[in-house]
């Protein structure tokens, strides 16, 4: 199964991607995580994308498309995958169409004001990139990643000003692809519930039909 998880920044794509990954045993391809890892390792790509990412704008399409093309040729993607954070522009969606047939697109819908609230409490593991929320999804031990034991941090682009910028970019550049996939008959809309489990149940249902 080849899936795309679509939604605003902070809609919970990463969390639901992990849920589907465990359920269907297919890998998550998160362009945000791939780009952050390139930055952390100081690669050529990492150097090129830092300024875009820190300001909340999109990384140029060519860079992201090349990155994805390389990632999807790896063995673990053979039986399917879940895209999280890709495509983010119509140009990226068109480029993906040329190299892969997608089976479904799950659109996680959340209102902007809910997102801004959520992002202010988000904590992220710098090692394995798992995300938490200080109120709605705290780690078992405060400030420590459940999965790998690393000290949790706040992503530099999760500060309120940059969050607003990312939302503006989302509405302008990414939202048009909702229509793009709707026109292809691939779109499944999930109205997000207040809890992670509630949303996962709806995602599961969307995958069955
Ligand atoms: P979120 O979904 O919470 O905004 P991501 O980790 O998906 O976080 O993305 C963080 C940043 O990485 C984006 O603001 C953007 O700069 C860059 N990025 C990630 N994926 C893409 C993409 N497909 N195209 C362009 N830029 C991207
Ligand atoms: Zn971790």
């Amino acid at each position: 199964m080849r899936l795309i998880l679509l939604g605003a920044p902070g809609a919970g794509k990463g969390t639901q991607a992990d849920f589907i990954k465990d359920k269907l045993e297919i890998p998550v391809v998160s362009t945000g995580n791939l780009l952050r890892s390139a930055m952390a390792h100081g690669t050529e790509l990492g150097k090129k994308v830092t300024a875009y990412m820190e300001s909340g704008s999109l990384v140029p399409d060519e860079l992201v498309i090349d990155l994805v093309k390389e990632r999807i040729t790896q063995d673990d993607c053979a039986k399917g995958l879940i895209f999280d954070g890709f495509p983010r522009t119509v140009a990226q969606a068109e480029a993906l169409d040329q190299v892969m047939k997608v089976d479904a697109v799950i659109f996680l819908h959340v209102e902007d004001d809910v997102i801004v609230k959520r992002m202010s409490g988000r904590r992220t593991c710098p090692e394995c990139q798992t995300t938490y929320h200080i109120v709605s999804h705290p780690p078992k031990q405060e400030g420590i990643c459940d999965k790998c034991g690393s000290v949790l941090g706040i992503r530099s682009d999760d500060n309120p000003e940059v969050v607003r910028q990312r939302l503006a970019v989302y509405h302008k550049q990414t939202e048009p692809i909702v229509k793009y996939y709707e026109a292809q008959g691939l779109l499944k809309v999930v109205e997000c519930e207040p809890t992670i489990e509630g949303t996962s149940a709806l995602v599961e249902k969307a995958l069955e039909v």
Side-chain angles (χ1 to χ4, degrees):
M1 176 103 88
R2 288 149 164 188
L3 292 173
I4 292 172
L5 269 175
L6 201 60
K13 298 187 297 294
T15 307
Q16 297 305 328
D18 273 348
F19 167 75
I20 301 171
K21 168 185 162 221
D22 293 340
K23 197 177 138 62
L24 301 182
E25 296 181 332
I26 50 179
V28 178
V29 174
S30 156
T31 44
N33 288 352
L34 291 171
L35 293 167
R36 271 187 294 280
S37 149
M39 286 198 322
H41 291 96
T43 66
E44 277 309 305
L45 175 68
K47 285 177 202 153
K48 282 188 199 157
V49 303
T50 303
Y52 297 105
M53 294 193 56
E54 292 192 336
S55 67
S57 26
L58 294 185
V59 167
D61 286 334
E62 320 79 80
L63 296 178
V64 178
I65 291 166
D66 284 350
L67 180 69
V68 167
K69 278 187 181 162
E70 196 203 304
R71 178 66 187 86
I72 63 178
T73 58
Q74 289 169 18
D75 292 346
D76 63 331
C77 295
K79 53 176 188 160
L81 79 173
I82 309 149
F83 284 113
D84 163 13
F86 178 88
R88 247 187 173 83
T89 61
V90 172
Q92 291 178 17
E94 287 169 352
L96 182 63
D97 273 346
Q98 314 243 308
V99 292
M100 178 179 278
K101 196 192 154 298
V102 170
D103 299 303
V105 178
I106 296 185
F107 176 42
L108 297 178
H109 184 254
V110 188
E111 297 296 339
D112 282 11
D113 52 344
V114 176
I115 285 175
V116 175
K117 255 185 233 149
R118 275 193 194 172
M119 303 288 254
S120 64
R122 180 150 89 164
R123 298 291 181 270
T124 307
C125 174
E127 282 307 316
C128 73
Q129 316 252 12
T130 302
T131 59
Y132 300 87
H133 188 279
I134 47 175
V135 179
S136 62
H137 176 45
K140 292 196 182 82
Q141 190 187 338
E142 195 184 321
I144 303 293
C145 178
D146 290 350
K147 290 195 186 154
C148 74
S150 305
V151 175
L152 300 177
I154 300 179
R155 256 170 58 178
S156 59
D157 61 352
D158 273 352
N159 79 61
E161 247 161 73
V162 183
V163 168
R164 272 189 287 274
Q165 164 66 8
R166 284 159 64 204
L167 276 171
V169 166
Y170 165 76
H171 288 300
K172 189 158 181 273
Q173 295 180 269
T174 306
E175 224 164 37
I177 67 179
V178 172
K179 290 242 153 42
Y180 179 89
Y181 287 120
E182 195 173 23
Q184 294 190 9
L186 294 175
L187 197 73
K188 295 172 193 295
V189 182
V190 168
E191 290 296 338
C192 290
E193 294 276 322
T195 66
I196 291 173
E197 296 74 23
T199 305
S200 293
L202 295 178
V203 166
E204 196 165 11
K205 226 185 197 168
L207 286 172
E208 278 160 11
V209 286

